[in-house]
Amino acid sequence: MSASDIRVFRNKIDSTTSMKKIFNAMELIATSRIGKARQRVAASMPYANAITRAVSAVASQQDIEHVLTSEPENPRRAAVLIMSSDRGLAGAYSANILRHAETLIERLSDEGKTADLYLIGRKAQAYFDFRNRSYKKFWTGSTDNPEFDVAKDVGETLVDAFLTDYEDGGVDEIHIVYTEFKSMVKQDPTVVRLLPLEVVEEEVTDESELLPLYDYEPAPEDVLDALLPKYIESRIFSSMLQAAASELANRQRAMSAAGDNADDLIREYTLLMNNARQASITQELTELIAGADALAES
């Protein structure tokens, strides 16, 4: 070992220490923001549940044919909204979403449907750009702090595509791929079909769970026309909020693990540097002793 080896290990220790400071700062930022993100998720649920309940009541209690609730006879094109992150350093968060999106796209292809892609987040945009795969539209800039205006724009774009005829570039289905936030240690990539609306008759065990009965003026179809775009916007915004909380939770864990790995590297480099210094000192002593012996013999 030489003095240059010691300098190399010292430089590695310094650079790793600097990176550890960045990791710790990002972990603290994610930790401070995750609380607000979880509060926004909780605050969005009453409205989303209420409008879902209203839409379900209209769709299930009335024998009507509506474009937003009727299954198309021969679906040929589907819109797929993919929610990734704008920034990295969040572990496998975006990779998991993109893997589920690819699985959905493959399934739609097997069913004879073309997938029109709509992207949220720079990671998804970069993924498809790198592979020279086209997409219809993308939104970036606020994945870890969603804004309702963005959700409204996304919802209007998707509903317009759904209401457009197939021959004019419209879609027959709308799917979203996002990460559902369940807890700080569990976030699940999820695929949901938003439209056509799937109305499921559930068994009710409590009278308080019964859907309310409504009288409609002028007609249930008009009520659906007004409710369903709001329903789509609320579902998309709720999904964006859950994705944001999931992104922050993944970033917090990733930065914590990166900080621990940096500590391990610093210890390893310190040990190697000390060994190199000891070897250098031993070599110098050996050379001095050999020189002294040579002088004594002469």
Side-chain angles (χ1 to χ4, degrees), residues 6 48 53 87 104 111-112 116 167 206 224 242-243 257:
I6 297 176
R53 192 173 173 84
R87 296 183 295 149
L104 172 61
E111 295 173 357
D116 285 353
E167 290 75 12
D206 188 348
L224 283 178
Q242 294 202 50

Side-chain angles (χ1 to χ4, degrees), residues 160-222:
D160 287 344
F162 187 76
L163 296 178
T164 302
D165 293 335
Y166 175 82
E167 290 75 12
D168 296 328
V171 300
D172 302 305
E173 298 176 354
I174 296 177
H175 302 260
I176 60 173
V177 187
Y178 72 102
T179 304
E180 182 181 3
F181 182 86
K182 294 188 174 181
S183 68
M184 285 296 297
V185 296
K186 186 175 178 59
Q187 303 89 38
D188 294 335
T190 305
V191 177
V192 175
R193 194 186 83 168
L194 286 185
L195 291 176
L197 180 64
E198 295 180 294
V199 180
V200 179
E201 297 291 343
E202 297 182 354
E203 182 179 352
V204 178
T205 57
D206 188 348
E207 289 186 359
S208 63
E209 297 177 358
L210 289 171
L211 292 174
L213 296 175
Y214 296 107
D215 291 328
Y216 305 99
E217 179 66 34
E221 291 83 355
D222 297 329

